[in-house]
Amino acid sequence: MRPPPFPGSHLTLDPFGNPHTYGTIHCSAVNGDKDIGCCTTTSGLAWKLPGRVGDSPLLGCGLYCDNAAGSAGATGRGESVIHTLGSFWIVEALARDPDRSVTDICLEACKRIVDRTHEPRMFDENKRPRFSVTFYAVRKNGAYGSACILKGGYAAVCVDGKAQRLESEYLFE
Ligand code: ASP
């Protein structure tokens, strides 16, 4: 990992060399009684336009849970998550498709975003997206998964007090 270019601050450089900050976190949890909760921190995105509302505070977008099915959340390009109601879509899919893997559902949520993004500026000359979103989700039975558009996303998972880092499945290298 590259060292931060501005020691002592959260600033780093994006892939285009622009200084930016990040740090949005989604947390989904199932307790011992199988009750579900979630939260997503206020967006840590840099250079937001004044007045912009990202996906983090919007239910169904940056976070959603249904105590009958599961929970999901997102980090990354909020406009894309809002456009596809990503977290709501994932929780509905968890309920609809109980045998499908959570990661597979998250991966399809990523694909829905890419398929519905029509601005040419969002893709490079090889049709690779210039942006990413990572989804995180857990079912009521504790099964969990994560997927992102561009390789590099990960989730911290804690089961029975044991923590581990999970590399998110991805659509593009
Ligand atoms: N999803 C956040 C937003 O678009 C950004 C982030 O995850 O860092 O506001």
Side-chain angles (χ1 to χ4, degrees):
M1 187 189 248
R2 279 179 303 197
F6 307 99
S9 85
H10 292 290
L11 279 176
T12 180
L13 297 180
D14 74 10
F16 306 101
N18 302 313
H20 78 143
T21 59
Y22 62 92
T24 304
I25 293 170
H26 168 75
C27 178
S28 280
V30 182
N31 72 11
D33 294 330
K34 302 272 182 251
D35 284 325
I36 300 167
C38 72
C39 65
T40 299
T41 60
T42 308
S43 163
L45 190 69
W47 314 122
K48 284 177 286 202
L49 294 174
R52 172 187 183 267
V53 176
D55 59 324
S56 301
L58 301 179
L59 296 180
C61 302
L63 75 168
Y64 190 75
C65 71
D66 176 345
N67 210 28
S71 176
T75 56
R77 185 172 185 256
E79 285 74 5
S80 300
V81 179
I82 294 169
H83 190 206
T84 56
L85 269 182
S87 297
F88 177 75
W89 187 88
I90 288 172
V91 173
E92 285 294 287
L94 291 173
R96 197 173 51 237
D97 237 338
D99 297 329
R100 192 170 175 198
S101 93
V102 179
T103 291
D104 204 42
I105 290 171
C106 290
L107 209 53
E108 187 175 346
C110 291
K111 191 164 182 313
R112 289 180 83 248
I113 288 177
V114 174
D115 290 348
R116 285 163 176 74
T117 303
H118 302 300
E119 305 100 310
R121 67 186 167 83
M122 299 310 296
F123 297 89
D124 70 14
E125 53 287 355
N126 299 316
K127 303 252 184 303
R128 181 180 184 268
R130 293 186 192 276
F131 65 97
S132 195
V133 166
T134 304
F135 285 113
Y136 319 85
V138 62
R139 277 189 197 284
K140 194 168 176 71
N141 68 4
Y144 56 83
S146 174
C148 52
I149 295 176
L150 300 183
K151 183 179 178 180
Y154 62 90
V157 178
C158 187
V159 181
D160 294 332
K162 283 200 201 75
Q164 70 177 87
R165 183 176 145 137
L166 171 75
E167 305 296 327
S168 307
E169 194 55 65
Y170 54 86
L171 289 179
F172 294 85
E173 282 275 347

